[in-house]
Amino acid sequence: MPRAKGWRELPIGGIIDEPGSARELETGAWRAFRPVVDQEKCINCLQCWMFCPDMSVRVEDSKMVGFDLYHCKGCGICASICPVDAITMVVETEAAKEGEVK
Amino acid sequence: MRHLRQHLPGRRYHHGGGDGSRQGRRGQVSDFKALDGNQAVAEAMRQINPDVVAAYPITPQTEAVQVFSQFVADGEVDTEFVTVESEHSAMSACVGAGAAGARVMTCTSSAGLAFMWEITYIAASMRLPIVMMVANRALSGPINIHCDHSDSMGARDNGWVQLFSESPEEAYDNMIQAVRIAEHPDLMLPVMVMQDGFITSHAMERVEVFDDQAVRDFVGTYTPRYSVLDVENPLTFGPLDFYVYYFEHKRQQVEAFSHAKDVILEVAADFNRRFNRNYGLMEAYRLDDADVALVALSSTAGTAKVVVDELRGQGVKAGLLKPRVFRPFPAEEMVEALSHVKAVAVMDRSISFGSMANAGPLFLEMAAAFYVNGNGSKVPMVDYVYGLGGRDIGPSEIESVYMDLLRIADGGEVPNLVTYLGVRE
């Protein structure tokens, strides 16, 4: 998240003049539950990636490698759609207590 | 105080011949026409030739866009005329066209302005230089189609510049200047041009209409800073704006208003240079040496001038201050103009219900202005709420206000802070 700008630095009229800048907005701050994946169970079908409304499932070399928690709102669609129950939704405050990195 | 508009155009202009046209000092040709206030505004809109007009008819504004729509039908303008099903849609269409980078105008009155409410805020916050004539009319209820200022006073905090016009001539002149004011790079704010519904919107008067080309040269072309149609530079207009940036965007609107007085005066100076009619933030009429003074907006100021002249003939030092600009409110200038008088009466054609003593908004602004800018001098000030729902205000009633002021100036008791003038007990 970049530093919040002062009124002199902003384009007038609430205009957003930088396309795609919404990715800089931390939408993950809303989250009450976070998805946690069990890589042992995951079969890399990528249905979670397909159904995620926020493009928050990270995929590298056709493998599901975790979540982008900066943008994940914790909707739970990934956990619901997973055919092998590899994803569980964990209460955010509990996960944060355990010191899990975003 | 100098008299800001003490001249008549005829004194300054050289007669160009018997055809009704006149040749100005700088070669500007103008015609004198018999127009009512709505027609005068339509004439200004024809000369400005805006890109888009979206409007919904409402009494007493209807005639302005009706006449303008005839100009569109006759091909006299290039304007895209958008007919809509309501004022909410009219202002929405104006906002959309403004975001596309068009020069946009519209007109409304009363409930129409109230119905635009949500979108007038959006027009201002999106910094779209829309120009709108408001033919002032009472707000319901009971239903009333006649003049008072409750519509535009209700809109006074919407973020629009507000200019009030005494006559069809001033409505015409203000519409032309409003375009330049709104589009000034330091402002980029929408502008409302007011005139009194029926009283001037439907009263035919002698209006000096300038040459088409001269008006087009004055308003120039509009180069928008942003356009949603600019595919090379994609933009998002009207995004969600929570507590992270909303306040900063409001601060930007405040900044624009801090330049508004200078811009209005700069545009007025150029208007005067080209067309030989002098406008300021306000007009002081025989105020220099006045003992007592009235503050009145729009057409009432015209009636008051007659009373001032009559009283002056009887040796009474009466004066008048007519604010032209209500937003931004020229507080310091108004106080300076009135600081020498012994008593001031503010004339309000609307009520701010539940405010201090149920006064009118102009009085409340003036009282605040005197408190902050009056250097501790306390000029006795009283409020006269008058003319609601189109009730006539005649010279005899205005004269009675001056008589009250003379008693107050003589050290007499201030009878009432607020008087409801002409209401039956």
Side-chain angles (χ1 to χ4, degrees), chain B residues 156-234:
Chain B
R156 70 191 186 274
D157 296 336
N158 290 15
W160 288 54
V161 172
Q162 292 191 328
L163 308 177
F164 281 82
S165 322
E166 179 186 323
S167 59
E169 182 78 81
E170 288 194 7
Y172 170 82
D173 292 351
N174 279 335
M175 283 299 276
I176 293 167
Q177 291 177 68
V179 174
R180 282 267 301 270
I181 294 166
E183 293 170 3
H184 194 285
D186 290 346
L187 252 62
M188 292 297 287
L189 291 173
V191 179
M192 272 181 220
V193 174
M194 265 64 82
Q195 64 173 319
D196 282 347
F198 288 115
I199 299 168
T200 59
S201 71
H202 285 65
M204 197 163 279
E205 288 187 10
R206 170 183 179 273
V207 177
E208 184 181 22
V209 174
F210 304 120
D211 177 66
D212 287 359
Q213 194 55 48
V215 173
R216 277 168 198 179
D217 290 346
F218 178 79
V219 296
T221 51
Y222 170 47
T223 310
R225 204 179 308 180
Y226 300 106
S227 167
V228 78
L229 299 180
D230 179 5
V231 291
E232 299 300 319
N233 301 289

Side-chain angles (χ1 to χ4, degrees), chain A residues 4-5 7 10-11 13-16, chain B residues 125 226 236 239 245 248 251-252:
Chain A
K5 291 173 179 168
W7 65 267
L10 298 169
I15 284 161
I16 295 171
Chain B
S125 64
Y226 300 106
T236 300
Y245 283 118
E248 279 68 28
R251 177 65 185 82
Q252 289 181 333

Side-chain angles (χ1 to χ4, degrees), chain B residues 54-336:
Chain B
Y56 191 80
I58 181 167
T59 301
Q61 158 274 124
T62 305
E63 187 197 12
V65 281
Q66 179 189 318
V67 171
F68 182 76
S69 69
Q70 191 64 52
F71 293 143
V72 176
D74 293 346
E76 291 193 40
V77 287
D78 309 315
T79 306
E80 186 74 32
F81 191 85
V82 187
T83 50
V84 283
E85 99 300 350
S86 73
E87 287 85 356
H88 192 274
S89 296
M91 187 47 64
S92 299
C94 288
V95 165
R103 179 176 270 167
V104 185
M105 304 181 92
T106 185
C107 304
T108 197
S109 287
S110 182
L113 177 56
F115 196 22
M116 286 180 178
W117 200 260
E118 178 189 8
I119 315 299
T120 53
Y121 270 86
I122 291 168
S125 64
M126 283 174 66
R127 308 294 295 279
L128 302 173
I130 297 163
V131 172
M132 171 163 68
M133 187 272 280
V134 175
N136 283 134
R137 166 186 153 183
L139 277 167
S140 301
I143 295 170
N144 181 298
I145 59 167
H146 293 284
C147 175
D148 69 35
H149 296 162
S150 45
D151 49 1
S152 51
M153 286 301 167
R156 70 191 186 274
D157 296 336
N158 290 15
W160 288 54
V161 172
Q162 292 191 328
L163 308 177
F164 281 82
S165 322
E166 179 186 323
S167 59
E169 182 78 81
E170 288 194 7
Y172 170 82
D173 292 351
N174 279 335
M175 283 299 276
I176 293 167
Q177 291 177 68
V179 174
R180 282 267 301 270
I181 294 166
E183 293 170 3
H184 194 285
D186 290 346
L187 252 62
M188 292 297 287
L189 291 173
V191 179
M192 272 181 220
V193 174
M194 265 64 82
Q195 64 173 319
D196 282 347
F198 288 115
I199 299 168
T200 59
S201 71
H202 285 65
M204 197 163 279
E205 288 187 10
R206 170 183 179 273
V207 177
E208 184 181 22
V209 174
F210 304 120
D211 177 66
D212 287 359
Q213 194 55 48
V215 173
R216 277 168 198 179
D217 290 346
F218 178 79
V219 296
T221 51
Y222 170 47
T223 310
R225 204 179 308 180
Y226 300 106
S227 167
V228 78
L229 299 180
D230 179 5
V231 291
E232 299 300 319
N233 301 289
L235 296 164
T236 300
F237 279 79
L240 188 70
D241 193 12
F242 281 163
Y243 36 73
V244 181
Y245 283 118
Y246 181 85
F247 205 168
E248 279 68 28
H249 287 125
K250 295 297 118 180
R251 177 65 185 82
Q252 289 181 333
Q253 287 176 251
V254 171
E255 184 66 13
F257 265 98
S258 75
H259 301 298
K261 279 196 288 197
D262 289 343
V263 169
I264 291 165
L265 290 173
E266 180 190 319
V267 172
D270 191 31
F271 189 85
N272 188 29
R273 195 163 58 244
R274 291 176 194 236
F275 300 119
N276 215 9
R277 256 204 298 278
N278 197 4
Y279 285 89
L281 302 171
M282 57 204 178
E283 178 188 348
Y285 187 76
R286 306 188 80 162
L287 194 58
D288 300 5
D289 61 339
D291 287 334
V292 290
L294 235 66
V295 180
L297 291 161
S298 293
S299 66
T300 308
T303 315
K305 285 173 187 171
V306 174
V307 178
V308 167
D309 289 347
E310 281 174 6
L311 289 172
R312 287 273 175 173
Q314 298 164 24
V316 176
K317 288 185 172 177
L320 170 78
L321 186 65
K322 181 188 77 178
R324 173 190 177 221
V325 181
F326 189 74
R327 284 288 180 269
F329 191 73
E332 293 164 44
E333 293 83 354
M334 302 261 291
V335 170
E336 192 192 334

